[in-house]
Amino acid sequence: MIVFDLKCDCGYTFEGWFQNRQDFDNQQTASFLVCPECGGKDIRKILSPIRAQSSESSLGRDLQEKEEKPELLSGAVEVLETLQEFVEKNFEDVGTELATESLKIHYGVSEPRNIRGVTTAPEEKKLKEEGINLLKIPMPVKNKNVN
Ligand SMILES: [Zn+2]
């Protein structure tokens, strides 16, 4: 089914549903299309401005234009802080056991869950070889000796 925006000679616009474009042509030719406002049969298809703009190519252009604009640093810091807060609340801190736990979860030994912690470069290489991808974000260092 496709929907066309239709316009009567009287100026009234409405939507019409059709099996396909051919179906619309057939109905128009046979004068099956009737204006709900005035009953007139001089119905034409109009292009809605919104639908005309929503082609994939124009969407692609919009995205590219956005990517070319550098984000404000303050905005980036805000996003990072939100991410850090989310990770702290929702991820279990396994500290230096991150690589070991990641492997255990990967092989179904441990319960699947969100974990965070620290890894060494060799550990990261090993995880990558096992097909485990780590998301690395800078976390604020907290001084545990305070109080
Ligand atoms: Zn009309």
Side-chain angles (χ1 to χ4, degrees):
M1 294 292 282
I2 51 173
V3 60
F4 285 136
D5 287 318
L6 307 174
K7 187 176 185 181
C8 172
D9 200 34
C10 74
Y12 186 79
T13 57
F14 58 102
E15 287 187 342
W17 289 84
F18 304 94
Q19 298 289 342
N20 48 46
R21 200 195 157 86
Q22 187 61 46
D23 182 35
F24 166 79
D25 289 340
N26 291 344
Q27 291 200 40
Q28 190 184 37
T29 307
S31 295
F32 283 164
L33 299 173
V34 178
C35 171
E37 182 71 10
C38 72
K41 291 188 172 181
D42 192 3
I43 311 295
R44 279 166 297 138
K45 181 159 58 67
I46 57 168
L47 276 178
S48 133
I50 296 166
R51 273 165 224 179
Q53 280 171 12
S54 67
S55 69
E56 282 184 25
S57 59
S58 73
L59 279 177
R61 270 202 305 279
D62 288 347
L63 286 175
Q64 272 179 3
E65 280 165 16
K66 272 173 195 154
E67 276 170 5
E68 280 163 14
K69 289 176 192 161
E71 289 286 327
L72 289 173
L73 185 62
S74 61
V77 169
E78 203 172 296
V79 168
L80 183 60
E81 282 173 351
T82 307
L83 183 60
Q84 287 169 342
E85 204 182 311
F86 176 82
V87 169
E88 285 198 332
K89 276 183 189 162
N90 298 283
F91 285 64
E92 183 186 331
D93 189 1
V94 294
T96 55
E97 294 297 304
L98 180 64
T100 312
E101 276 303 310
S102 294
L103 282 169
K104 281 183 182 172
I105 291 169
H106 186 63
Y107 287 105
V109 180
S110 284
E111 200 68 22
R113 64 198 194 278
N114 295 323
I115 55 173
R116 64 189 172 94
V118 292
T119 52
T120 62
E123 282 174 343
E124 283 171 21
K125 189 167 177 283
K126 166 81 174 158
L127 289 176
K128 205 173 179 184
E129 283 167 4
E130 297 284 346
I132 299 168
N133 290 312
L134 296 174
L135 174 66
K136 287 209 258 185
I137 63 164
M139 292 293 283
V141 178
K142 284 176 184 165
N143 191 345
K144 284 177 184 169
N145 294 328
V146 173
N147 296 333

Coordinates of all heavy atoms in Angstrom, one line a residue, residues 8-10 12 35 37-40, ligand 1:
C8 N -8.1 18.3 -4.6 CA -9.3 18.5 -5.5 C -9.1 19.8 -6.2 O -8.4 20.7 -5.7 CB -10.5 18.4 -4.7 SG -12.0 18.9 -5.6
D9 N -9.9 20.0 -7.2 CA -9.9 21.3 -7.9 C -10.4 22.4 -7.0 O -10.1 23.5 -7.2 CB -10.8 21.1 -9.2 CG -10.5 22.2 -10.2 OD1 -9.3 22.6 -10.3 OD2 -11.4 22.7 -10.9
C10 N -11.2 22.0 -6.0 CA -11.7 23.0 -5.1 C -10.7 23.5 -4.1 O -11.0 24.4 -3.3 CB -13.0 22.5 -4.4 SG -12.6 21.3 -3.1
Y12 N -9.4 21.4 -1.8 CA -9.3 20.5 -0.6 C -8.3 19.4 -0.8 O -8.2 18.8 -1.9 CB -10.7 19.9 -0.5 CG -10.8 19.0 0.8 CD1 -11.0 19.6 2.0 CD2 -10.8 17.6 0.7 CE1 -11.1 18.8 3.2 CE2 -10.9 16.9 1.9 CZ -11.1 17.5 3.1 OH -11.2 16.7 4.2
C35 N -13.7 13.8 -4.4 CA -13.4 14.7 -3.3 C -14.4 14.5 -2.1 O -15.6 14.6 -2.3 CB -13.4 16.1 -3.8 SG -13.2 17.3 -2.5
E37 N -14.9 16.5 0.1 CA -15.4 17.8 0.5 C -16.5 18.3 -0.4 O -17.6 18.7 0.1 CB -14.2 18.9 0.5 CG -14.6 20.3 0.9 CD -14.9 20.4 2.4 OE1 -14.6 19.5 3.1 OE2 -15.5 21.5 2.8
C38 N -16.3 18.2 -1.7 CA -17.3 18.8 -2.6 C -17.8 17.7 -3.6 O -18.8 18.0 -4.4 CB -16.7 19.9 -3.4 SG -15.5 19.4 -4.7
G39 N -17.3 16.5 -3.5 CA -17.8 15.5 -4.4 C -17.2 15.6 -5.8 O -17.6 14.8 -6.7
G40 N -16.3 16.5 -6.1 CA -15.8 16.7 -7.4 C -14.8 15.6 -7.7 O -14.4 14.8 -6.9
Ligands
ZN1 ZN -13.3 19.2 -3.9

